[in-house]
Amino acid sequence: MIATMPDAMAIRPILTADQPILRERTKRVSSFDPSLHRLLDDMLETMRDAPGVGLAANQVGVPLQVAIIEVDNRITELVNPRIVRTGGEQLDWEGCLSIPGYVAETGRFAKVTVKARDRHGREFRVKGEELFARALQHEIDHLNGVLYIDHLESLEELVRVSEHDEVTEETAAGI
Ligand code: CO
């Protein structure tokens, strides 16, 4: 008998922005079952491998309202997330694992409060500012079929990561 490891996490391929699924709204999760847990586990491993600080389920081909963020060594799993409060403005470099090699200065709310469910279906609220707030907005955009380039006035604002000095490792990592 060949040994298998059904519980091992797996890296899933990250789709690029030309894939139609990244332009479609994802569906609400209604079943908080082992397949959701497997998806979240795989998304964490895939995001870390990339490496990145955030990943939405449609980026790995699953059209569900599921996203994961890891900022400052804190993992946040988001199921059916909604922004319920916003405040202020911020402008900083932003990238995306589905648009590899590029970043652009992108305007976002400085602070957001998000309501979501965890992998067991329990509702929670999370507040974010700075990069974490940016990642929350970026991932929830993904779940609505929106990419950060949609917030730019022109695609000419995109800068190649390799040609930019100001871009930090964290920014270049992409969300
Ligand atoms: Co992204």
Side-chain angles (χ1 to χ4, degrees):
M1 185 179 164
I2 297 165
T4 55
M5 297 198 304
D7 294 317
M9 294 194 288
I11 294 167
R12 302 193 188 191
I14 297 176
L15 304 180
T16 47
D18 54 320
Q19 300 296 311
I21 193 171
L22 283 170
R23 290 313 206 165
E24 291 159 13
R25 294 175 78 93
T26 53
K27 295 188 177 70
R28 285 182 74 78
V29 171
S30 54
S31 163
F32 298 80
D33 59 12
S35 71
L36 173 68
H37 301 173
R38 163 60 69 95
L39 172 64
L40 281 160
D41 292 345
D42 286 356
M43 285 173 62
L44 177 64
E45 189 172 8
T46 302
M47 178 184 70
R48 285 177 166 173
D49 177 71
V53 300
L55 190 68
N58 46 346
Q59 288 182 279
V60 292
V62 178
L64 291 175
Q65 290 181 20
V66 176
I68 186 164
I69 293 169
E70 187 173 29
V71 171
D72 296 332
N73 301 314
R74 176 180 165 206
I75 298 165
T76 306
E77 294 181 343
L78 301 159
V79 180
N80 302 338
R82 291 280 182 279
I83 293 174
V84 294
R85 193 167 195 169
T86 62
E89 293 174 3
Q90 59 167 317
L91 183 66
D92 208 340
W93 296 100
E94 186 164 326
C96 177
L97 295 175
S98 293
I99 307 171
Y102 291 89
V103 291
E105 279 194 299
T106 307
R108 294 288 187 182
F109 294 114
K111 296 179 180 183
V112 293
T113 302
V114 168
K115 193 165 95 172
R117 290 185 187 275
D118 68 13
R119 61 167 61 203
H120 304 291
R122 291 183 288 247
E123 199 172 275
F124 68 96
R125 278 173 188 248
V126 62
K127 287 183 184 181
E129 51 188 72
E130 299 179 339
L131 178 62
F132 186 46
R134 179 173 295 278
L136 286 165
Q137 291 166 82
H138 182 110
E139 300 316 329
I140 291 171
D141 268 358
H142 268 306
L143 302 181
N144 290 315
V146 175
L147 300 171
Y148 81 93
I149 53 176
D150 301 340
H151 296 288
L152 307 179
E153 284 188 18
S154 158
L155 291 182
E156 288 172 21
E157 292 174 39
L158 285 170
V159 173
R160 279 186 187 276
V161 171
S162 56
E163 293 169 5
H164 210 279
D165 297 339
E166 278 182 52
V167 177
T168 64
E169 249 178 59
E170 199 165 47
T171 309
I175 42 187

